[in-house]
Amino acid sequence: MTSPSFPAAPDTAPAPFRSFASDNHAGVHPEVLDAILAANADHAIAYGDDPWTARLGEAVRREFGERAEAYPVFNGTGANVVGLSAMLPRWGAVIASELAHVHTDEQGAPERVGGIKLLPVPSADGKITPDAVHAHAGALGDVHHAQPLAVLITQSTEVGTLYAPEEVRAIADAAHGYGMRLYVDGSRLANAAAALGTSLRAITTDVGVDALSFGGTKNGAMGAEAVVVLDPAAAPGLAFVRKAQMQLASKMRYVSAQLLALLGESDGDDPLWRRNAAHANAAAARLRSLLDDDVAAGRVRGLGFAGPTTVNATFAILPKPAADRVRETFPCYDVMPGPEAGTVVSRWMCAWDTTDDDVDRFVAAVRSALS
Ligand SMILES: Cc1ncc(COP(=O)(O)O)c(C=O)c1O
């Protein structure tokens, strides 16, 4: 038998492809993959009547409280549209920040699929306050106006800011005072809880949130989110809405198994969601601190920041050509024009698997782009 001939091994391995553009660019955490593999045995009843989805229900009650109900879905946009649709009557509208993902990045899905009017309110830091709720409440009862019957906040926000638990409570109280419901886009709820050092429950159930999306995909899942209903009276018929809006998985065990891997199955665990979120946040904090030191020491010029780094995203202000040079090595997005002509705000995002070496190489690319 003759040996096959192989091409000679290259002298140097190609640099691994690493990205700072989105936490969605990271792969799947091995514990999640193991959970998917473990779920891949025998047959299981479809559409959620399987043991993994039942165990997920228990995990969600443990994390969010006894009344919590979990509805696994495929993606974050779907979670938002299903959750809001179930909360609102046909004439309902949602008050949200003008930077909210539902308004800027979901291709009009809440409007197109859910028939929901969004009422965007100005917001520089991605957050809204009770004032926005009071301002829209005047439309209640006026037949000419879409009825503002829900408020949406994103935690952590699209621009990397956080709502303190008492800020959420104030919005919930204002909303409930008018009979409105409060929904949280929790695509990065894990990052928020890890950064605030709280439980998931402390920033949702305990401060008056009625329903939320719990994001798994950015936190190390392959593709799994859940609508979590905290007050069952707030979202009647959600199971029907999920099917009608094409978010009901037949082989739901695989979606549920991923979320279960993130949430863990017992009280004593340090759950994977927290480990992954804390890791991503810490990588972002390290990136920021290295560059803060460079700016303070005058080693790089022309670099500023649009706000503090509190979770896993840093919003840097730099000349557009420098942002383009960084992009020659690492993908990242410019999200808006900077405050001065010729500058941009570039979003640099870390993930559950961002390594110290990734951060060091990224910082070196920024230094070189600004030198
Ligand atoms: C804040 C926020 N909400 C919702 C979504 C939607 O998630 P998906 O892309 O899975 O639909 C994203 C995705 O980037 C997001 O950042």
Side-chain angles (χ1 to χ4, degrees):
M1 204 168 92
T2 53
S3 307
S5 65
F6 295 110
D11 287 344
T12 53
F17 178 70
R18 308 298 285 177
S19 170
F20 283 77
S22 171
D23 34 9
N24 272 333
H25 289 199
V28 181
H29 192 281
E31 289 180 36
V32 174
L33 277 179
D34 287 348
I36 295 172
L37 278 178
N40 196 35
D42 293 329
H43 289 194
I45 310 293
Y47 298 111
D49 285 330
D50 61 82
W52 292 267
T53 305
R55 278 155 56 202
L56 174 64
E58 284 165 29
V60 162
R61 283 192 289 281
R62 198 192 63 242
E63 287 282 351
F64 290 94
E66 262 316 297
R67 292 203 305 165
E69 294 171 355
Y71 296 86
V73 293
F74 296 112
N75 55 37
T77 301
N80 287 340
V81 176
V82 169
L84 293 173
S85 299
M87 286 178 98
L88 289 170
R90 200 72 188 96
W91 50 92
V94 179
I95 303 165
S97 145
E98 64 186 352
L99 301 181
H101 195 273
V102 283
H103 180 52
T104 60
D105 274 304
E106 296 188 1
Q107 226 285 321
E111 292 93 335
R112 293 179 204 284
V113 179
I116 295 163
K117 181 165 175 63
L118 297 177
L119 301 169
V121 298
S123 166
D125 62 358
K127 292 165 64 172
I128 62 168
T129 67
D131 287 346
V133 180
H134 299 311
H136 276 287
L140 286 168
D142 183 337
V143 75
H144 299 287
H145 290 278
Q147 294 296 287
L149 293 172
V151 179
L152 177 145
I153 61 175
T154 308
Q155 176 77 305
S156 53
T157 74
E158 291 76 4
V159 290
T161 50
L162 287 167
Y163 286 92
E166 53 277 15
E167 291 178 306
V168 181
R169 168 52 79 187
I171 294 168
D173 286 349
H176 293 160
Y178 296 109
M180 302 175 192
R181 296 295 193 171
L182 178 60
Y183 177 89
V184 173
D185 177 342
S187 188
R188 296 190 183 86
L189 193 72
N191 298 87
L196 291 164
T198 64
S199 62
L200 296 172
R201 179 189 172 123
I203 50 173
T204 53
T205 321
D206 293 350
V207 287
V209 173
D210 295 299
L212 61 117
S213 64
F214 177 69
T217 311
K218 295 173 176 59
N219 188 237
M222 181 181 281
E225 318 274 316
V227 184
V228 177
V229 178
L230 301 175
D231 176 359
L238 197 142
F240 300 107
V241 173
R242 179 178 56 174
K243 174 67 183 188
Q245 294 184 344
M246 298 159 280
Q247 286 283 331
L248 178 67
S250 54
K251 294 192 179 178
M252 196 183 292
R253 63 171 141 160
Y254 299 102
V255 184
S256 299
Q258 296 175 57
L259 294 166
L260 202 50
L262 295 176
L263 289 170
E265 295 214 53
S266 74
D267 259 344
D269 295 348
D270 183 13
L272 185 57
W273 68 260
R274 186 181 289 283
R275 282 182 274 141
N276 282 352
H279 178 99
N281 292 353
R286 183 163 174 274
L287 182 158
R288 175 64 184 266
S289 135
L290 290 170
L291 289 172
D292 275 343
D293 289 351
D294 280 352
V295 171
R299 283 191 293 271
V300 299
R301 292 212 173 73
L303 179 65
F305 296 97
T309 299
T310 48
V311 279
N312 60 330
T314 295
F315 290 82
I317 302 169
L318 69 172
K320 170 95 170 80
D324 290 340
R325 275 202 295 280
V326 173
R327 252 189 302 281
E328 285 168 15
T329 323
F330 290 102
C332 52
Y333 292 117
D334 297 342
V335 291
M336 59 183 98
E340 283 159 34
T343 65
V344 289
V345 178
S346 197
R347 186 183 77 166
W348 299 340
M349 199 146 226
C350 296
W352 66 266
D353 67 342
T354 303
T355 64
D356 280 355
D357 183 54
D358 294 336
V359 170
D360 290 342
R361 292 193 305 117
F362 185 83
V363 167
V366 173
R367 284 178 187 145
S368 146
L370 285 160
S371 64

